[in-house]
Amino acid sequence: MPNKKLQRTEPAHGQSRRMESSLRSLAERLKRARKRRGWSQIEMARLLQVSIVTYRKMEKADPGTAIGTWVAVLSLMGMLGDLDNLLLYDRDYQGAALEQSLRNRRRSRGVSPSDLADRL
């Protein structure tokens, strides 16, 4: 029996639109940064060591672009340090709330962490 907590689910419609909007915004910022430097799309593709097709997909906000390619963009643009601000543990407010909720639920059921470990 598969673990339902680990199953992949599709994002809610509103969340999906927000993700698409964020990706379009990122793609537009990439395009502006490239133009600011006076580089063509072909030059960017060469500098990133990707095909021109891949690079054009990035500027069109294609969600299939590999995260490594986006990291290469940050490095090329001198913004790699910005990556260090993503997924910071102390800013994971949703995760902290879920963690606290699980603790409260365990306490109310009288289940200790060692009891949970024994079940595994």
Side-chain angles (χ1 to χ4, degrees):
M1 176 178 215
N3 184 341
K4 289 186 180 182
K5 289 183 182 179
L6 297 179
Q7 288 179 347
R8 190 177 206 171
T9 59
E10 292 299 316
H13 186 65
Q15 186 179 4
S16 178
R17 272 188 273 156
R18 186 170 178 213
M19 289 187 306
E20 289 170 11
S21 175
S22 292
L23 188 54
R24 280 193 306 274
S25 179
L26 179 63
E28 184 58 36
R29 291 192 306 270
L30 170 63
K31 185 176 183 177
R32 276 187 271 143
R34 172 184 59 81
K35 287 183 174 187
R36 180 180 239 180
R37 287 161 175 78
W39 296 337
S40 69
Q41 287 183 332
I42 293 171
E43 288 172 309
M44 277 293 288
R46 182 183 54 77
L47 290 167
L48 293 171
Q49 299 178 356
V50 298
S51 71
I52 185 64
V53 171
T54 296
Y55 183 75
R56 286 184 177 147
K57 285 181 177 182
M58 292 177 79
E59 283 196 6
K60 289 182 180 177
D62 185 305
T65 304
I67 187 72
T69 306
W70 284 105
V71 172
V73 166
L74 290 172
S75 179
L76 181 64
M77 301 286 181
M79 299 178 187
L80 194 56
D82 292 346
L83 193 61
D84 294 335
N85 293 319
L86 301 177
L87 293 173
L88 293 173
Y89 186 80
D90 61 341
R91 292 187 188 169
D92 183 11
Y93 306 114
Q94 184 181 31
L98 289 169
E99 184 178 50
Q100 186 62 43
S101 174
L102 286 172
R103 282 187 195 138
N104 292 342
R105 200 174 326 152
R106 286 183 195 134
R107 277 189 214 123
S108 69
R109 289 188 199 160
V111 178
S112 71
S114 61
D115 291 337
L116 291 175
D118 291 340
R119 292 180 189 174
L120 300 175

